Structures are given as structure tokens and as C-alpha cells.
Amino acid sequence: MAAKLLSALALALLLPVFALAQGSIPQQLIWQPGALKPTDSTLKVAVGDKAPDFDLPGIDGKRVRLSDYLGKKNVVLSFVPAAWTPVCSGQWPGYNLARDVFDGRDAQLIGVSCDNLPSLNAWVVEMGGVWFPVASDFWPHGGLASKLGILRPDGVSERALFVIDKKGIIRYIDVHDINTRPDLGQLAKALDALK
């Protein structure tokens, strides 16, 4: 009980930091899309389904595959709609401050966007880098996002989180309002439920 209380306290202290996390990108480089339709797609998977395997190019030149983590790590897929936009440019740097949330729950975070590799790489470098792999779902355009049912009609993905356990089963889905960041506390609870 004491350990759970301490964990909850630590997470509560972390949340404001996460909420305030901002990238280091000059504001003139940030595209302001304005308010968008919160979600604009139809999920093709559900909690309890087997996650589709993927093999995407990463900005570090390596391939990013779900199969590489099966049996070893839980996986969190963090889809963001587009590089160089305000909410996305705060979300991923925020995870830099919250790495212990993932490491402490035996989870590997993977960032995914439908942007092409050069744009993704430049954006991540400008933000100061991230500790987790970043993969491009650019071609076939939005192939993985489409399989999951989170590809919007304008060609970007939803802002979405998928928790996949070590057996490759989807255990949590948050197709989030594209205009706001997902709640880290809810994600941490979903990862705790895997224990």
C-alpha cells in the first residue's frame, strides 16, 4: 500500500511538469493549424485484438518493428499528427521528462508520425532529441495508421496511444482529441494494469 501511495505521489508531482513541457523550437517555425475536428476516423481494432505487426523506418536509420519487442517489452505507440505543430512539439519532449514512467513499467515507447523521414528528423533534432525510437509511417502513406483505423481524411494520423503487451495484444487505446495532449496519468494506469 505504501509503495502504491508513493508511486501515486511521484506521478502526481510529475504531471504538472509534463503538462508544462515544451520543445525548444522557435515559435516562427511552428505551424498553427487552428482548432481541428477532435477525431476524424473510425477505429479498425479494439482492446483485446492482436496488434498488426509493422516494419517502419526510423530517423536513426534503423528499422522499427513490433516483432523486435514481443516477449521482451510492453510497447506504447504514440501517434502524433504532424511535426512542426504546437501540441505535438510539446507532447514528445514531455515524454523525455517522464521516461521513468515507461522504464518502471517495462515498456518501450515508440513515436510514430505520417511525416517523411527528413521532416521528422529535423523536427526531433530541433526539439533537442528524444530517448525513444521515432518511426515514419509516410509510405505507403499512413499504412500502419490505416490498419489501426486512425488515418484522417487529410492524410495525418489521429493523436493516439496504443498499449501493446508482450504477447502482441492491444490492451489500451486512447484516440485523443487532436487538439490536446493525452493524460500521462491514464497511460500510466493502463501500463500498471499489465502487471
Side-chain angles (χ1 to χ4, degrees):
M1 179 63 79
K4 286 186 176 180
L5 286 174
L6 286 174
S7 177
L9 177 60
L11 189 57
L13 291 172
L14 181 60
L15 289 176
V17 176
F18 177 75
L20 293 173
Q22 296 292 329
S24 57
I25 300 176
Q27 287 303 303
Q28 64 268 28
L29 296 181
I30 297 292
W31 173 257
Q32 298 293 338
L36 301 172
K37 185 176 179 180
T39 60
D40 198 9
S41 61
T42 303
L43 265 176
K44 296 179 181 175
V45 295
V47 171
D49 288 351
K50 184 176 180 181
D53 197 10
F54 55 82
D55 182 355
L56 300 173
I59 62 172
D60 61 357
K62 299 177 181 177
R63 304 297 297 189
V64 182
R65 306 179 184 90
L66 176 61
S67 57
D68 288 342
Y69 298 100
L70 293 179
K72 303 171 187 173
K73 286 273 190 181
N74 302 306
V75 169
V76 178
L77 294 181
S78 169
F79 280 83
V80 294
W84 308 103
T85 55
V87 180
C88 302
S89 298
Q91 184 179 343
W92 281 2
Y95 293 140
N96 279 343
L97 302 174
R99 182 170 183 172
D100 288 350
V101 170
F102 299 90
D103 288 346
R105 292 164 173 82
D106 205 18
Q108 176 62 56
L109 174 64
I110 298 174
V112 186
S113 167
C114 294
D115 293 290
N116 64 25
L117 278 174
S119 179
L120 261 183
N121 180 64
W123 178 55
V124 171
V125 169
E126 190 70 26
M127 291 192 294
V130 293
W131 60 268
F132 49 88
V134 172
S136 169
D137 192 20
F138 178 71
W139 199 259
H141 189 75
L144 177 58
S146 181
K147 286 181 182 177
L148 295 167
I150 57 166
L151 186 65
R152 296 168 66 107
D154 59 1
V156 303
S157 76
E158 302 285 4
R159 186 178 313 285
L161 294 168
F162 293 85
V163 172
I164 302 167
D165 70 16
K166 295 176 183 176
K167 295 180 181 179
I169 303 301
I170 298 171
R171 301 286 297 274
Y172 174 80
I173 300 173
D174 177 7
V175 179
H176 208 75
D177 180 345
I178 197 169
N179 303 290
T180 63
R181 292 185 209 170
D183 183 332
L184 182 62
Q186 292 297 318
L187 176 60
K189 288 180 182 177
L191 289 170
D192 284 340
L194 302 182
K195 294 178 181 177

